């Protein structure tokens, strides 16, 4: 298990110099860094990681420390420096805490979690050395088997940090699942939830009564043959493979009932002709502008989102990474919670942008559903929309994902892009089994079609209408 310590400072720290100064063996013990200088890591003599320090990140977006840590943050811009210490090794935790204390003293700032900053004294380092490449390559992984990479996180919100993003890629390249283990009070960032692949990857929550359970499904889990797997019910049969559900998973929903919190969830895909003059991110900006009246506050290729919103910078990053895909996250202001994940991919058809976006609303806040049609029309007429699905969910205003049951989303609208409408035979796209006819968006000669759906979170029958519509459009 690892412990995370994060320093939030107004000035940029120098992790290598600070760590070297803490070592009783002197700076000569710090003879190298990994990841092109992005990670400084200390190991014991067997090469086991003790402390890993990420390169400082300049955060220029308000609210990220509060969103991800529940911490009071300095005025932007500020520096975010993460250190991971292996628990169970006294010197490692002591070194991480002292590292945070020394940074705070040298450049000014605070540390998370509160009380993490320990003594300023030099730490004894007998048996410590700089990590070799294999250990330094994935500082986020705590347990590695031939089936999964296991990451244990003890923080309020598991975010898509640079470390976790690297672990996702490494696990995928190795053909392994990724299992994230957390205490009961931890939540996931939507960026992690949207990126978590299917089985055997899962979110594993520690529980006093049931041991472990899946934070997204509630299924009780156990460790077996190198990974967490579901526990079979004694009544299970091949025809009915029942899985026990943890009591903790449903208790919060039963106790609180409908809190009045809602999420407006939007997912869409655009396909642009490949052109060196193409500017990316405009589709997301258009939807954000229509729904909230302002563009996204910031973006980044990891969390915390650290850069002010900029279409040009976003486009430059995607071009630099091509032909490899680009993944990024965009966030809103603290006053209007919003988060999107975007995957930009070069395909034979052009440049695709796959966007998953959500906005949060509290009790008494009006959800701007009227703006959905305007957002859909902007995508259809200006941003090469292929398809769009809008849902309404009973879920947290802050958008974080708790290890508890939340009501499923229900479809509010589906939109089919003009090119997809044109390619359908006859009037199939217009004559559907739904009670209400679709609404045309854009030019009469080549319209996109907007299909309204019930969108009532208390009525799941909207999914039946949506499935009938999908079968009809596919001709099945």
């Amino acid at each position: 298990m690892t412990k995370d310590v994060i320093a939030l400072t107004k000035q940029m720290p120098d992790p290598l110099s600070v760590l070297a100064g803490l070592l009783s063996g002197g700076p000569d013990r710090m003879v190298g860094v990994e990841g092109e200088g992005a990670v400084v890591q200390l190991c014991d003599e067997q090469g086991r990681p003790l402390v890993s320090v990420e390169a400082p990140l300049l955060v220029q977006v308000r609210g990220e420390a509060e969103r991800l840590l529940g911490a009071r943050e300095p005025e932007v811009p500020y520096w975010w420096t993460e250190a991971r210490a292996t628990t169970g090794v006294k010197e490692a935790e002591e070194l991480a805490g002292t590292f945070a204390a020394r940074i705070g003293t040298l450049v000014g700032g605070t540390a998370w979690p509160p009380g993490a900053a320990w003594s300023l004294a030099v730490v004894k380092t007998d048996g410590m050395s700089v990590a070799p490449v294999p250990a330094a390559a994935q500082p986020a992984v705590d347990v590695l088997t031939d089936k999964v990479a296991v990451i244990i996180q003890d923080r309020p919100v598991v975010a898509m940090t640079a470390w976790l993003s690297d672990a996702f890629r490494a696990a995928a390249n190795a053909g392994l699942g990724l299992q994230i283990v957390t205490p009961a009070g931890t939540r996931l960032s939507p960026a992690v939830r949207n990126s978590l692949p299917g089985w055997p990857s899962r979110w594993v929550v520690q529980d006093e009564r049931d041991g472990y359970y899946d934070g997204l499904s509630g299924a009780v889990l156990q460790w077996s043959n190198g990974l967490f797997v579901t526990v079979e019910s004694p009544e299970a049969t091949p025809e009915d493979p029942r899985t026990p559900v943890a009591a903790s998973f449903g208790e919060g929903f039963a106790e609180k009932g409908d809190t009045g919190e809602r999420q407006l969830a939007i997912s869409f895909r655009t396909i642009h002709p490949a052109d060196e003059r193409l500017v990316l991110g405009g589709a997301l900006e258009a939807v954000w502008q229509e729904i909230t009246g302002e563009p996204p506050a910031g973006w980044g290729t990891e969390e915390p989102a650290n850069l002010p919103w900029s279409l040009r910078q976003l486009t430059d990053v995607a071009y630099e990474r091509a032909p490899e895909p680009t993944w990024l996250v965009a966030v809103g202001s603290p006053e209007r919670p919003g988060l999107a994940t975007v995957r930009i991919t070069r395909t034979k058809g052009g440049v695709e942008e796959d966007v998953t976006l959500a906005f949060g609303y509290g009790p008494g806040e009006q959800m701007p559903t009227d703006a959905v049609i305007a957002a859909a029309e902007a995508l259809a007429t200006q941003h090469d929309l292929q398809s769009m699905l809008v849902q309404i969910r009973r879920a947290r205003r802050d958008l974080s994902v708790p290890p508890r049951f939340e009501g499923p989303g229900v479809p509010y609208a589906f939109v089919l892009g003009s090119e997809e409408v044109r390619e359908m035979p006859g009037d199939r796209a217009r004559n559907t089994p739904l009670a209400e006819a679709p609404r045309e968006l854009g030019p009469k000669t080549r319209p996109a079609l907007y299909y309204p759906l019930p969108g009532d979170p208390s009525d799941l029958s909207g999914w039946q209408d949506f499935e009938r519509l999908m079968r009809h459009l596919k001709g099945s």
Side-chain angles (χ1 to χ4, degrees), residues 53-128:
V53 182
E54 188 81 2
L57 184 69
L58 181 62
V59 178
Q60 305 174 66
V61 181
R62 284 192 309 119
E64 287 298 86
E66 180 180 357
R67 178 175 73 89
L68 299 175
L69 303 176
R72 183 176 180 180
E73 62 189 6
E75 184 179 349
V76 294
Y78 61 90
W79 294 91
W80 178 303
T81 308
E82 294 208 16
R84 286 175 60 85
T86 301
T87 56
V89 180
K90 180 181 178 182
E91 293 83 356
E93 293 190 47
E94 185 179 351
L95 183 58
T98 306
F99 166 80
R102 185 65 64 90
I103 281 186
T105 300
L106 293 177
V107 298
T110 60
W112 179 91
W118 292 359
S119 167
L120 295 175
V122 170
V123 179
K124 293 183 179 180
T125 56
D126 293 340
M128 288 188 187

Side-chain angles (χ1 to χ4, degrees), residues 34-54:
E34 299 299 333
E36 298 181 353
V39 177
V40 179
Q41 190 170 44
L42 296 174
C43 294
D44 62 15
E45 292 176 336
Q46 286 73 45
R48 292 174 298 189
L50 295 177
V51 178
S52 303
V53 182
E54 188 81 2

